Amino acid sequence: MKILVVIALFACATAFRLPPAYKQVPQEPRFENDEDDKIVGGYEAKKHEFPFIISLQRYGSHFCGGSIVSSTKVLTAAHCTRAVSYWQITANAGRHNVRTSESTGQSKSASSMSEHWGYNSNTYRYDVAVVRLSSAFKFNSYVKTVTLSSSNPSSGTRVTVAGWGTLSSGGSSPSKLQKVDVYVDSYSSCNSDYSGIIDDYTMLCASSGGKDSCQGDSGGPLVRAGTSTQVGVVSWGYGCADSRYPGVYAKVAATRSWINSQ
């Protein structure tokens, strides 16, 4: 009887510690025609406001975000690359509407990809990956690299997340790039919200009432508001814009040396 109780308690504790990656787009995303819809609590970005942002696509459909770190490298989330094979991926830059061809757009196929050596698919620590491209992006006003932050933003810092993710948890996806401003939460507050499963070294949390990233935003950039300095990578969380649970992002500063080594 004691053995059964211990096993049951261990199973419950283990299940409680494993965060679900809600930021991935469903395998069959639903598209709507309502162009007035917005990312959870946000609004449509200006065209080419984020020239470093990437739409990672599989068989022509957006599934995760990313950011340009060099002419032939894209930063994204490890849980995004784990879900696909590299030969299925195309990286699309310079686009505002992911459902139409745009003269400013550039599309490159992937040649390989690497997850951070410390990535843990159960805890989502070190949730970053680099996708290598078969040919180089041509940089211009619409396609540029992001700046990787060497320091973590302090609690209360206003940050911006952008992407083509769903407009509500499990909801429809927009065709045009959306953005939303949120604020960095303190580690103690976020860790309390998530009952002690937040890793302070590799994760940061950000929230603002009714505002958040959502499915399909995974791998996309979290930047200091008004800049092109990336501080986080969209990673995971419970629900979308749930007032009880902030969005969780992989810290760029903690993984910057590995990203540069790639």
Side-chain angles (χ1 to χ4, degrees), residues 24-25 54-57 62-66 76 79-80 216-219:
Q24 277 185 284
V25 74
I54 287 289
S55 167
L56 290 180
Q57 298 190 4
H62 172 88
F63 72 95
C64 272
T76 188
H79 76 259
C80 287
D217 290 320
S218 271

Side-chain angles (χ1 to χ4, degrees), residues 78 82 114-129 199 201-203 254-255 258 262:
R82 181 155 293 194
S114 297
E115 297 174 357
H116 191 284
W117 55 267
Y119 173 59
N120 185 312
S121 60
N122 290 326
T123 64
Y124 292 86
R125 296 182 77 238
Y126 295 104
D127 189 13
V128 296
D199 175 38
Y201 183 70
T202 64
M203 303 173 188
T255 54
W258 177 82
Q262 300 304 302

Side-chain angles (χ1 to χ4, degrees), residues 42-80:
Y43 49 94
E44 184 181 330
K46 295 178 182 178
K47 281 190 175 181
H48 313 300
E49 183 177 355
F50 302 93
F52 47 81
I53 199 165
I54 287 289
S55 167
L56 290 180
Q57 298 190 4
R58 175 179 51 188
Y59 305 128
S61 295
H62 172 88
F63 72 95
C64 272
S67 55
I68 302 172
V69 290
S70 81
S71 62
T72 57
K73 307 290 192 304
V74 169
L75 173 64
T76 188
H79 76 259
C80 287

Side-chain angles (χ1 to χ4, degrees), residues 112-145:
S112 65
M113 54 194 185
S114 297
E115 297 174 357
H116 191 284
W117 55 267
Y119 173 59
N120 185 312
S121 60
N122 290 326
T123 64
Y124 292 86
R125 296 182 77 238
Y126 295 104
D127 189 13
V128 296
V130 168
V131 176
R132 300 178 187 86
L133 308 177
S134 57
S135 59
F137 284 123
K138 181 179 179 181
F139 293 143
N140 52 38
S141 299
Y142 315 109
V143 179
K144 299 179 180 179
T145 56

Side-chain angles (χ1 to χ4, degrees), residues 202-234:
T202 64
M203 303 173 188
L204 68 84
C205 303
S207 63
S208 186
K211 301 177 180 180
D212 198 5
S213 50
C214 208
Q215 289 98 1
D217 290 320
S218 271
L222 179 75
V223 299
R224 294 180 186 272
T227 77
S228 60
T229 301
Q230 185 171 354
V231 297
V233 175
V234 181

Side-chain angles (χ1 to χ4, degrees), residues 27-252:
Q27 290 185 348
E28 296 180 359
R30 293 187 297 123
F31 294 123
E32 305 293 342
N33 295 320
D34 186 356
E35 299 298 348
D36 294 327
D37 280 338
K38 297 169 172 56
I39 193 170
V40 186
Y43 49 94
E44 184 181 330
K46 295 178 182 178
K47 281 190 175 181
H48 313 300
E49 183 177 355
F50 302 93
F52 47 81
I53 199 165
I54 287 289
S55 167
L56 290 180
Q57 298 190 4
R58 175 179 51 188
Y59 305 128
S61 295
H62 172 88
F63 72 95
C64 272
S67 55
I68 302 172
V69 290
S70 81
S71 62
T72 57
K73 307 290 192 304
V74 169
L75 173 64
T76 188
H79 76 259
C80 287
T81 57
R82 181 155 293 194
V84 296
S85 299
Y86 78 85
W87 50 266
Q88 297 174 313
I89 298 175
T90 56
N92 294 270
R95 298 178 68 176
H96 183 66
N97 188 324
V98 292
R99 297 181 211 165
T100 63
S101 298
E102 297 180 345
S103 60
T104 57
Q106 298 181 43
S107 182
K108 306 295 180 181
S109 59
S111 60
S112 65
M113 54 194 185
S114 297
E115 297 174 357
H116 191 284
W117 55 267
Y119 173 59
N120 185 312
S121 60
N122 290 326
T123 64
Y124 292 86
R125 296 182 77 238
Y126 295 104
D127 189 13
V128 296
V130 168
V131 176
R132 300 178 187 86
L133 308 177
S134 57
S135 59
F137 284 123
K138 181 179 179 181
F139 293 143
N140 52 38
S141 299
Y142 315 109
V143 179
K144 299 179 180 179
T145 56
V146 75
T147 299
L148 298 178
S149 179
S150 59
S151 61
N152 296 312
S154 58
S155 175
T157 299
R158 184 166 63 95
V159 287
T160 304
V161 61
W164 292 272
T166 58
L167 308 172
S168 62
S169 185
S172 62
S173 299
S175 60
K176 297 177 181 178
L177 183 64
Q178 308 290 305
K179 72 173 187 177
V180 66
D181 288 347
V182 288
Y183 295 86
V184 176
D185 292 290
S186 69
Y187 164 71
S188 59
S189 173
C190 185
N191 196 44
S192 176
D193 290 337
Y194 281 102
S195 301
I197 63 174
I198 300 300
D199 175 38
D200 188 33
Y201 183 70
T202 64
M203 303 173 188
L204 68 84
C205 303
S207 63
S208 186
K211 301 177 180 180
D212 198 5
S213 50
C214 208
Q215 289 98 1
D217 290 320
S218 271
L222 179 75
V223 299
R224 294 180 186 272
T227 77
S228 60
T229 301
Q230 185 171 354
V231 297
V233 175
V234 181
S235 184
W236 66 277
Y238 292 162
C240 300
D242 188 322
S243 60
R244 298 169 297 175
Y245 302 109
V248 186
Y249 301 80
K251 285 182 176 177
V252 165

